[in-house]
Amino acid sequence: MTGYEMFRPMVAHAVLVFGLYALLGWRRHVLVKAGRIQPVQFRENHAANEPAESLAVRNSLANQFELPLLFHVCCVLLYTTQADNLPSVILAWIFVATRYAHAFVHVTSNDLRYRSPLFALGFVALVGMWVWLGIWLAFS
């Protein structure tokens, strides 16, 4: 390992966030052009009655700043404590892959039958990362 593998999943997650921002902007632009919503409704970020097409993206974007916060902190801690080995990097990639899949479901069908297990798998991967960090700190 070169020592920077832990940052690649972090960058991949950032790309997802930027992509969701772009999708939100595009969907809102389409909705405004179609006359389904007024731009003024977004000024104070209180888009009452926001159409489902953009609301789903907005909610998915908000999700990227909840559990992933713990992911980014853990990645940095794993790196700084030199606990970033192959299993922790694999867990990080699993977490990011589930975030992509979760976001895809969220902004398309929004079907909880698919979204919930994806969230759970990512959650378990992240817990595994934190457990590994705790073990590393306890025994090093």
Side-chain angles (χ1 to χ4, degrees):
M1 293 179 58
T2 64
Y4 297 111
E5 286 82 8
M6 188 55 69
F7 296 122
R8 292 182 179 121
M10 295 173 71
V11 170
H13 182 256
V15 169
L16 171 61
V17 171
F18 296 138
L20 286 171
Y21 271 116
L23 179 61
L24 179 62
W26 179 75
R27 285 195 179 176
R28 284 181 170 177
H29 173 76
V30 168
L31 290 166
V32 168
K33 283 192 80 155
R36 294 189 50 206
I37 196 161
Q38 297 299 314
V40 70
Q41 291 178 265
F42 300 115
R43 183 177 33 213
E44 301 297 326
N45 202 20
H46 298 291
N49 302 321
E50 184 169 357
E53 301 95 292
S54 61
L55 182 60
V57 180
R58 184 173 134 198
N59 289 340
S60 183
L61 190 54
N63 276 251
Q64 302 311 317
F65 294 97
E66 295 169 355
L67 196 59
L69 174 65
L70 293 173
F71 166 73
H72 287 280
V73 169
C74 189
C75 286
V76 170
L77 290 172
L78 286 165
Y79 176 78
T80 58
T81 61
Q82 298 179 342
D84 56 334
N85 58 5
L86 186 58
S88 63
V89 172
I90 290 171
L91 287 171
W93 277 115
I94 291 170
F95 178 80
V96 171
T98 61
R99 291 278 79 201
Y100 269 85
H102 182 272
F104 177 78
V105 172
H106 208 167
V107 302
T108 56
S109 69
N110 203 14
D111 191 334
L112 287 177
R113 291 177 299 163
Y114 303 113
R115 219 176 88 206
S116 292
L118 289 167
F119 177 85
L121 179 58
F123 177 82
V124 169
L126 184 57
V127 167
M129 290 172 66
W130 279 97
V131 167
W132 171 243
L133 177 63
I135 290 169
W136 181 267
L137 293 174
F139 295 103
S140 61

